[in-house]
């Protein structure tokens, strides 16, 4: 008679079977390949399309090199960069504006006057730069005519500066942090819901086909339970890692994301919190699946879990704009809301080390407590075939 399997060996065998079964499915491979390609194409397309916003307005200047230099300098200073070029004469300037080679052409007139030639109207930002440059050139000429050194005046004037001391300076990374927060929330919601349901469907499939009776002749119920959870969870973690690595890698390579450290930190945090969130719900989904004998009945026992996951999703989405809100901060301490709110707070840069460690400890404690309850339900229900086991029967002594 062969020796009974150790707990680790038994759980490992079940987990390995679940993992291999899932990843070898053609539907799993094809769907994930399509999603990964879509992620790369979407990010590259976003990078290419957004890059088109860098086109500079073109300005041609007839015979005034100093004015060209002033326009370029002022444009860069005020945040309206212009592409400035020399045009030989007014006729050529009109021709290039008419053909669309230039957005505006400047033709100096009598004194300090300048005529701006455009197709229809002069862009407000471009006009502001041009007018400021023309005025500056006129001032330089007037000072020179009166024997005053323009450079000395400019040096004196440059000393008059305004220093801004902002009590709450804007975060230049805020836009990218918000995008990362939204993506983390959506991915966690989808992965926890989908792979939690996989656990429930797997349990009820084995129960309805009576395969579980054969498995339990060799394995103990808890070995089968944890093997299934670990195997399916490993598939979910692998899939999420692939999505995150490809997405973050492509975004960084195309400069769609420029906050490398934050992006990698959010990816690591999302993976870690998926493990905790999945573990929390997987034990409950396994218990819900063990209580029914038909896949059509799974929704009757797993419905409350779906509603709880939806509540987590809406709570997280509502706090994207203000992750430091009091209600959001409080809720992030409460399992299982921590699993989706804390990655959001990490992405937003508002989670402290104490909050991160504290919420992890609370989640682990909640998972341990629920595991004991779910294991009791699973053991009492898994071999009751033919009808739905009530919660009273599953939890009864």
């Amino acid at each position: 008679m062969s020796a009974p399997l150790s707990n680790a060996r038994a759980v490992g065998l079940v987990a390995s079977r679940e993992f291999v079964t899932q990843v070898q499915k053609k539907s799993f491979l094809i769907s994930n390949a399509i999603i990964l390609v879509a992620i790369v194409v979407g990010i590259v397309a976003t990078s290419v399309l957004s890059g088109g916003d860098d086109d500079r307005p073109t300005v041609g200047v007839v015979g005034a090199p100093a004015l060209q230099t002033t326009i370029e300098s002022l444009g860069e200073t005020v945040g309206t960069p212009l592409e400035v070029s020399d045009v030989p004469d007014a006729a050529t300037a009109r021709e290039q504006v008419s053909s669309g080679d230039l957005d505006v052409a400047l033709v100096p007139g009598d004194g300090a006057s300048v005529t701006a030639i455009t197709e229809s109207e002069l862009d407000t930002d471009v006009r502001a730069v041009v007018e400021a440059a023309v005025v500056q050139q006129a001032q330089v000429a007037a000072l020179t005519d009166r024997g005053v050194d323009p450079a000395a005046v400019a040096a004196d004037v440059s000393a008059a500066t305004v220093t801004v001391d902002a009590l709450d300076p804007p975060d230049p990374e805020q836009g990218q942090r918000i995008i990362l927060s939204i993506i983390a929330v959506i991915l966690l919601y989808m992965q926890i819901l989908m792979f939690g349901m996989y656990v429930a469907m797997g349990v009820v499939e084995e129960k309805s086909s009576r395969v579980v009776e054969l498995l339990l002749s060799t394995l103990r119920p808890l070995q089968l339970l944890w093997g299934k959870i670990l195997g399916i969870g490993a598939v979910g973690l692998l899939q999420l890692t692939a999505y995150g690595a490809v997405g973050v890698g492509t975004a960084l390579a195309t400069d769609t994301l420029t906050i490398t450290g934050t992006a990698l930190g959010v990816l690591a945090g999302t993976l870690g919190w998926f493990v905790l969130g999945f573990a929390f719900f997987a034990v409950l989904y396994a218990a819900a699946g063990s209580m029914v004998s038909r896949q059509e009945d799974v929704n009757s026992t797993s419905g409350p879990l779906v509603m709880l996951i939806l509540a987590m999703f809406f709570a997280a989405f509502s706090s994207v704009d203000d992750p430091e809100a009091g209600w959001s901060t409080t809720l992030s301490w409460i399992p299982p809301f921590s699993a989706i709110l804390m990655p959001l707070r990490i992405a937003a840069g508002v989670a402290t080390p104490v909050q991160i460690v504290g919420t992890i400890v609370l989640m682990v404690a909640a998972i341990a407590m629920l595991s004991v309850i779910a294991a009791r339900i699973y053991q009492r229900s898994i071999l009751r075939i033919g009808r739905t086991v009530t919660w009273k029967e599953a939890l009864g002594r």
Side-chain angles (χ1 to χ4, degrees):
M1 183 176 178
S2 60
L5 294 173
S6 65
N7 286 331
R9 175 65 175 165
V11 171
L13 287 173
V14 176
S16 176
R17 177 180 70 92
E18 291 291 340
F19 181 85
V20 172
T21 299
Q22 291 291 335
V23 299
Q24 286 184 341
K25 290 180 180 178
K26 288 185 177 180
S27 59
F28 177 84
L29 297 174
I30 294 173
S31 63
N32 280 287
I34 293 173
I35 291 173
L36 290 173
V37 170
I39 290 172
V40 174
V41 171
I43 294 174
V44 172
T46 300
S47 176
V48 171
L49 293 175
S50 62
D53 296 335
D54 295 333
D55 292 341
R56 300 185 175 194
T58 54
V59 179
V61 182
V62 178
L67 181 59
Q68 291 183 41
T69 303
T70 302
I71 290 174
E72 285 182 324
S73 176
L74 284 175
E76 294 291 344
T77 301
V78 302
T80 307
L82 304 174
E83 184 178 336
V84 186
S85 61
D86 179 58
V87 182
D89 52 54
T92 304
R94 288 182 178 276
E95 184 179 322
Q96 290 186 1
V97 171
S98 178
S99 64
D101 294 332
L102 292 175
D103 293 312
V104 59
L106 304 178
V107 181
D110 296 333
S113 66
V114 171
T115 300
I117 303 171
T118 64
E119 183 67 31
S120 57
E121 60 181 359
L122 187 57
D123 179 80
T124 302
D125 292 335
V126 175
R127 179 172 188 143
V129 173
V130 169
E131 288 181 343
V134 170
V135 170
Q136 183 172 320
Q137 285 298 107
Q139 290 174 342
V140 169
L143 291 170
T144 302
D145 291 342
R146 290 165 175 76
V148 179
D149 183 5
V153 174
D156 292 338
V157 171
S158 64
T161 60
V162 175
T163 301
V164 178
D165 182 10
L167 299 179
D168 186 16
D171 182 4
E173 301 178 351
Q174 183 178 13
Q176 295 186 53
R177 287 182 178 277
I178 290 175
I179 292 173
L180 287 172
S181 300
I182 293 173
I183 293 174
V185 167
I186 293 174
L187 284 177
L188 283 169
Y189 162 71
M190 293 177 58
Q191 294 293 104
I192 291 174
L193 181 62
M194 180 169 61
F195 283 91
M197 187 59 73
Y198 281 174
V199 171
M201 298 300 287
V203 169
V204 74
E205 181 181 358
E206 290 179 347
K207 183 175 179 179
S208 61
S209 64
R210 294 185 179 271
V211 171
V212 68
E213 296 177 6
L214 178 62
L215 293 173
L216 290 180
S217 64
T218 306
L219 303 169
R220 290 198 290 272
L222 292 186
Q223 294 172 340
L224 183 58
L225 169 68
W226 282 109
K228 182 173 291 292
I229 290 173
L230 292 177
I232 294 177
V235 177
L237 183 61
L238 174 65
Q239 179 175 285
L240 185 59
T241 302
Y243 291 169
V246 170
V248 170
T250 305
L252 292 175
T254 58
D255 288 332
T256 304
L257 276 178
T258 58
I259 47 176
T260 305
T262 300
L264 295 177
V266 171
L267 174 58
T270 301
L271 295 176
W273 280 102
F274 166 75
V275 172
L276 294 174
F278 172 78
F280 183 97
F281 283 99
V283 293
L284 297 177
Y285 268 109
S290 70
M291 295 169 65
V292 298
S293 299
R294 300 184 307 165
Q295 292 189 352
E296 308 92 87
D297 297 330
V298 172
N299 289 335
S300 64
T301 53
S302 65
L305 302 180
V306 175
M307 296 300 295
L308 181 56
I309 295 173
L310 283 172
M312 291 165 53
F313 173 74
F314 286 120
F317 223 80
S318 299
S319 63
V320 166
D321 291 333
D322 187 12
E324 292 187 279
W327 68 268
S328 177
T329 302
T330 301
L331 205 58
S332 68
W333 282 91
I334 303 174
F337 288 88
S338 311
I340 201 166
L341 284 171
M342 283 307 297
L344 183 152
R345 291 174 58 78
I346 292 172
V350 299
T352 66
V354 172
Q355 290 175 325
I356 295 173
V357 174
T359 51
I360 290 175
V361 170
L362 290 176
M363 274 292 290
V364 170
I367 292 168
M369 181 183 68
L370 288 176
S371 297
V372 174
I373 298 172
R376 174 182 294 180
I377 295 173
Y378 184 87
Q379 288 177 303
R380 289 175 176 269
S381 307
I382 193 64
L383 292 177
R384 298 188 182 184
I385 299 173
R387 65 182 182 85
T388 299
V389 179
T390 65
W391 284 103
K392 182 177 181 180
E393 291 174 325
L395 293 171
R397 295 184 178 278

